[in-house]
């Protein structure tokens, strides 16, 4: 799928790591909270390779998975939570080799959808797609949240000090913004209107 296509060129194979926490035996039947993190342990850009100034620092492209792991550990130790909480870490290195994914390749994701690759440096959405699909298929989610160092466009949209939140649940979006203000993890909402952008995703 997407995760394998991103990570297959690296010396160490990609991995989809799942961590599960059930606060009580009875909670196993309840809808869960699933946290999904992008964990690109190094991002060269693949065959759409980054520049000599754009590549240094890309060991930090696993920040989403690292933050999700921290959140999962914190929630698992919280006594008041009654819902199952799971974490999915989408781990891969976006490397260059003779077997690396090429622009124009078509991948079949875990969900069954097919994706035509036009930029191998847009790998985050591919690994997250498989992580979210795994959550839907196996973890009975009531809420799914993913976190990623996904795109430089975020810095243009919300600036250096605010993360961007893209959410299809207005109540959850408002809570995330409010909690972020109280703890210092600032986020700002960006418009959720995927129907406006459907033409951009048509296959060539």
């Amino acid at each position: 799928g997407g995760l394998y296509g991103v990570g297959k060129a690296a010396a160490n194979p990609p991995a989809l790591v799942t961590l599960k926490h059930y606060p009580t035996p009875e909670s196993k039947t309840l809808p869960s909270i699933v946290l999904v993190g992008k964990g690109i342990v190094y991002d060269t850009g693949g065959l759409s390779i980054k520049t000599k100034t754009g590549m240094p620092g890309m060991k930090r492209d696993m920040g989403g998975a690292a933050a999700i792991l921290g959140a999962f550990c914190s929630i698992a130790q919280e006594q008041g939570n009654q819902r199952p909480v799971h974490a999915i870490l989408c781990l891969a290195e976006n490397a260059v080799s003779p077997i690396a994914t090429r622009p124009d390749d078509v991948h079949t994701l875990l969900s069954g959808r097919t994706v035509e690759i036009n930029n191998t440096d847009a790998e985050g959405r591919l690994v997250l797609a498989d992580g979210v699909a795994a959550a839907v298929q196996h973890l009975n989610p009531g809420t799914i949240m993913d976190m990623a160092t996904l795109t430089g466009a975020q810095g243009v949209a919300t600036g250096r000090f605010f993360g961007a939140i893209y959410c299809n649940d207005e109540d959850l979006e408002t809570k995330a913004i409010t909690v972020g203000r109280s703890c210092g993890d600032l986020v700002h909402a960006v418009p959720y209107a995927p129907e406006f952008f459907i033409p951009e995703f048509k296959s060539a």
Side-chain angles (χ1 to χ4, degrees):
L3 180 65
Y4 175 73
V6 170
K8 66 180 180 178
N12 297 302
L16 192 71
V17 177
T18 303
L19 308 172
K20 299 180 181 180
H21 172 66
Y22 296 98
T24 64
E26 295 76 18
S27 69
K28 291 187 175 183
T29 60
L30 298 176
S32 66
I33 300 168
V34 185
L35 312 174
V36 183
K38 173 190 170 186
I40 302 299
V41 297
Y42 200 84
D43 184 14
T44 67
L47 292 181
S48 305
I49 198 162
K50 293 180 182 293
T51 65
K52 67 178 182 179
T53 56
M55 196 182 301
M58 284 298 105
K59 62 184 180 182
R60 297 192 297 269
D61 212 16
M62 37 60 73
I68 290 298
L69 178 59
F72 173 81
C73 292
S74 178
I75 294 170
Q77 296 175 46
E78 172 60 50
Q79 298 300 314
N81 176 53
Q82 298 300 315
R83 289 177 62 182
V85 178
H86 310 309
I88 296 179
L89 311 179
C90 309
L91 306 179
E93 178 181 355
N94 190 15
V96 177
S97 85
I99 64 167
T101 290
R102 300 158 299 191
D104 295 332
D105 281 354
V106 176
H107 291 171
T108 302
L109 305 181
L110 182 62
S111 65
R113 289 181 177 269
T114 55
V115 175
E116 183 180 33
I117 309 302
N118 56 30
N119 177 6
T120 65
D121 196 23
E123 81 295 330
R125 63 207 70 187
L126 300 176
V127 304
L128 288 172
D130 277 359
V132 169
V136 171
Q137 292 175 13
H138 303 295
L139 297 176
N140 186 29
T143 303
I144 299 176
M145 183 189 81
D146 69 61
M147 185 176 290
T149 49
L150 195 60
T151 174
Q154 173 274 321
V156 176
T158 64
R160 180 178 176 185
F161 300 108
F162 284 76
I165 182 169
Y166 187 67
C167 189
N168 65 352
D169 183 320
E170 189 172 0
D171 182 54
L172 181 60
E173 177 185 281
T174 301
K175 287 178 180 177
I177 293 170
T178 302
V179 170
R181 288 172 179 165
S182 68
C183 71
D185 288 326
L186 300 172
V187 294
H188 186 82
V190 294
Y192 180 81
E195 62 274 15
F196 290 172
F197 306 102
I198 290 173
E200 295 184 20
F201 300 107
K202 288 184 177 179
S203 175

